Amino acid sequence: MSASRTYRRGLAALVVLAPLALWTASGDDFLEYRTKHAVVETVAAVGATQDYGGSEWRIDRYDTWAGQPPDAGKALTAATLPQGTRLVRVRVALRAKDEAAVKALDRCTLELVDGRGRRWNPGAGVTAARRDVPTRCNGTYDNAPQVAQPFLFEQDFLVPEDAAGDVDAVIRLAAEKPARLRLRLR
Amino acid sequence: MSTLAAARRRSAWRVLVSLALLLAMRESIPNYDGMTGPIVERGVLGEWTQARRFAARADTVLTARAIRTEKTGVPESLSQHDTSGVWLVVDATAKAVDEPVSIGKAQILTRDGRRYARTERLGSTRQLSGAELQPGIESRGVLVFELPADQVAGAQLVLADSPIAILDSELQLDLRLAAAPAPREFYDLVRR
């Protein structure tokens, strides 16, 4: 067998062996990474009601303000919003179908996500003075979700102007991870 | 005989070249800290510098002999903190890139390589490192450090979102302190 043929065969073998070695060394880590970062998203159209984690979810109201909102008494105490930002208030209606669904609401988050994948947590930079509905999925001591009863909660977000018209609300329940619910706002 | 001598010379050269190559490899391969340490992004006072998950700008810097502070919302808790060195106060602005993030590491890197962590004597009131940064929204606050007066000149601000920034961004912002500025008598963190 000539030397050049040996070299060619060696190179051909490398094409198979190199990926095989890589997979043997790091295949499990890759699969674990994929599992951890998997996102299973259910998308609900604007105004639609969607099942998720044993509850029905719907956007009840969605407002944005470029400055202090008109109902300041039961809204914000922030005198002015930072330049270049908008206030977004999202009110969510839910109905838990059973006790397990009510319990799942204890570990629940609402966030805003825009088309570029940026996400915002509620409450940053804004202060609620007084509200007529709770600000958490699991409510308050005297106003908590009940089985088969409608329940409302709302949260305020500060987002950049360029994102205010391009955001959706995303609900995450720890018990449902990696599944999440995206409620379209527009 | 001459053929044998030539072969020996060639062998000697090969050994020398091999040794030189080994030495070059040894010197050029990064050590463990270099391979697993942070990825440094450098910037200067007054300019935005981008990390993987956040961007930050050091706006102003000053030194003071004492700092006045209070517990949030408790006016009668006013107190003044002095130091055997100086307080270095950096007014900074930061914003997240894609998702909410906090500044988990704020340090001063001195000219001789020492690092001083953000002081914990003052709590997190008005300090930038206690705030959650949101994408595209600028958050402003101070970062306060306590360090010997002779370590101020040449100091750099180090910021990262994690206390241990393994293979992740670490900002090193030159505070343009060629010489240590004269310290104020006190800095008021309450009415800044």
Side-chain angles (χ1 to χ4, degrees):
Chain A
M1 191 185 299
S2 69
S4 61
R5 182 179 292 180
T6 307
Y7 291 152
R8 276 200 298 276
R9 286 187 178 177
L11 280 172
L14 268 181
V15 172
V16 177
L17 290 175
L20 197 64
L22 203 62
W23 181 258
T24 306
S26 308
D28 286 347
D29 295 336
F30 175 72
L31 290 177
E32 191 182 335
Y33 176 86
R34 283 281 302 270
T35 307
K36 273 187 179 173
H37 290 77
V39 174
V40 182
E41 188 172 81
T42 305
V43 181
V46 179
T49 300
Q50 179 66 48
D51 281 2
Y52 171 62
S55 299
E56 294 173 346
W57 302 79
R58 176 176 58 81
I59 295 295
D60 181 66
R61 194 172 163 181
Y62 158 59
D63 299 296
T64 80
W65 293 277
Q68 194 167 0
D71 52 346
K74 51 187 172 185
L76 298 180
T77 55
T80 55
L81 298 180
Q83 197 175 8
T85 62
R86 293 283 180 97
L87 179 75
V88 177
R89 177 172 299 161
V90 180
R91 182 176 290 198
V92 178
L94 69 89
R95 187 192 301 265
K97 293 179 181 173
D98 51 35
E99 281 296 338
V102 172
K103 191 160 179 55
L105 296 172
D106 285 341
R107 295 181 65 198
C108 157
T109 60
L110 169 63
E111 63 189 22
L112 294 187
V113 178
D114 76 352
R116 290 162 54 185
R118 296 184 295 175
R119 61 184 181 88
W120 290 267
N121 284 346
V126 293
T127 310
R130 181 165 60 84
R131 291 176 187 274
D132 49 7
V133 296
T135 56
R136 295 188 314 212
C137 310
N138 61 349
T140 57
Y141 178 75
D142 55 357
N143 185 7
Q146 306 291 326
V147 175
Q149 297 296 313
F151 175 78
L152 291 172
F153 72 96
E154 71 176 20
Q155 284 181 327
D156 292 336
F157 300 81
L158 205 56
V159 302
E161 273 177 352
D162 64 338
D166 182 37
V167 287
D168 293 328
V170 170
I171 306 283
R172 293 174 194 261
L173 295 173
E176 296 297 311
K177 200 177 173 185
R180 65 186 191 189
L181 173 63
R182 179 185 288 244
L183 298 162
R184 296 249 184 240
L185 298 176
R186 64 195 190 284
Chain B
M1 192 67 188
S2 62
T3 312
L4 186 61
R8 280 183 179 162
R9 275 200 299 276
R10 278 201 298 277
S11 294
W13 273 112
R14 279 176 191 154
V15 169
L16 280 174
V17 169
S18 300
L19 282 173
L21 281 172
L22 281 173
L23 194 65
M25 282 172 62
R26 188 177 182 279
E27 292 301 312
S28 61
I29 291 174
N31 59 19
Y32 181 78
D33 285 345
M35 285 191 284
T36 59
I39 298 162
V40 174
E41 306 287 347
R42 298 186 191 284
V44 295
L45 187 76
E47 288 182 6
W48 282 102
T49 307
Q50 184 85 31
R52 187 175 64 89
R53 298 180 66 201
F54 71 100
R57 184 185 68 203
D59 296 312
T60 59
V61 57
L62 60 89
T63 54
R65 294 188 197 285
I67 284 191
R68 194 170 73 139
T69 186
E70 69 175 0
K71 288 180 185 167
T72 309
V74 188
E76 61 270 27
S77 67
L78 274 174
S79 57
Q80 188 160 313
H81 302 267
D82 56 12
T83 171
S84 58
V86 289
W87 294 106
L88 180 70
V89 182
V90 182
D91 205 330
T93 308
K95 59 186 175 185
V97 175
D98 287 325
E99 58 184 20
V101 64
S102 298
I103 291 176
K105 177 162 79 172
Q107 297 176 335
I108 288 294
L109 174 62
T110 64
R111 198 173 264 167
D112 61 4
R114 296 184 200 180
R115 288 180 182 243
Y116 293 85
R118 180 186 70 83
T119 183
E120 294 188 357
R121 289 178 59 193
L122 312 176
S124 60
T125 309
R126 295 168 202 272
Q127 294 224 37
L128 186 63
S129 53
E132 184 181 64
L133 308 176
Q134 300 286 331
I137 296 174
E138 295 180 8
S139 296
R140 197 168 175 201
V142 293
L143 296 160
V144 186
F145 306 88
E146 187 178 13
L147 63 164
D150 63 358
Q151 296 290 318
V152 173
Q156 297 184 50
L157 175 66
V158 176
L159 298 174
D161 60 87
S162 167
I164 308 166
I166 295 175
L167 291 175
D168 205 348
S169 308
E170 178 183 276
L171 301 189
Q172 291 187 7
L173 309 180
D174 185 350
L175 297 175
R176 303 252 192 208
L177 294 169
R184 297 178 179 190
E185 275 313 305
F186 85 99
Y187 177 77
D188 194 340
L189 198 54
V190 181
R191 295 192 180 85
R192 59 180 289 270

